[in-house]
Amino acid sequence: QVQLVESGGGSVQAGGSLRLSCASSVDSYSRYTYMAWFRQAPGKERVGVARISRAGSIMYADPVKGRFTISRDNAKNTLYLQMNSMKPEDTDMYYCAADPRAVVPGVSSLSSDRFLYWGQGTQVTVSS
């Protein structure tokens, strides 16, 4: 059974840093084509933050480019999101996602529709 468990959320002041982790219950390298981070505010749509492919190809959403870094440790089956120079608008619930499919026609690799498996989320709060 696939399980994704996030950790590392918390409260930080603007300009600070946090590192989120997402532990997979299965071999993430062989099982998933893509892994990603999303974020969601109450009452709003879940939005892609960053994704990484099995081959190491990376994509970031514009609001986090240059500040956030996605990475994966295949030996530990863990996905990371290093968040630097954080802003109050980064305050959200952050979710880890993974998907084993090679292709999903017509769906962006940073769209929530692209991902089958989700973690429970971890709250990030940035104060000004």
Side-chain angles (χ1 to χ4, degrees), residues 45-125:
E45 203 172 293
R46 193 167 292 187
V47 176
V49 174
R51 70 99 172 113
I52 185 168
S53 73
R54 179 185 290 126
S57 170
I58 289 174
M59 178 185 291
Y60 293 102
D62 285 345
V64 307
K65 282 180 181 176
R67 300 188 298 120
F68 291 9
T69 302
I70 189 171
S71 63
R72 59 194 299 175
D73 185 329
N74 296 325
K76 296 182 177 179
N77 295 323
T78 301
L79 180 73
Y80 300 101
L81 185 69
Q82 178 67 44
M83 303 185 291
N84 298 329
S85 302
M86 297 186 73
K87 304 175 181 180
E89 51 263 45
D90 294 322
T91 296
D92 270 328
M93 184 72 79
Y94 282 71
Y95 295 90
C96 172
D99 195 277
R101 297 168 293 179
V103 176
V104 178
V107 179
S108 164
S109 60
L110 203 49
S111 165
S112 59
D113 292 338
R114 182 65 177 78
F115 292 86
L116 287 178
Y117 305 123
W118 293 87
Q120 82 289 349
T122 186
Q123 178 67 39
V124 171
T125 302

Side-chain angles (χ1 to χ4, degrees), residues 6-12 18-21 83 94 122-125:
E6 301 99 333
S7 61
S11 297
V12 65
L18 281 176
R19 188 176 82 154
L20 305 183
S21 300
M83 303 185 291
Y94 282 71
T122 186
Q123 178 67 39
V124 171
T125 302

Side-chain angles (χ1 to χ4, degrees), residues 2-14:
V2 173
Q3 280 191 315
L4 301 172
V5 180
E6 301 99 333
S7 61
S11 297
V12 65
Q13 289 195 323

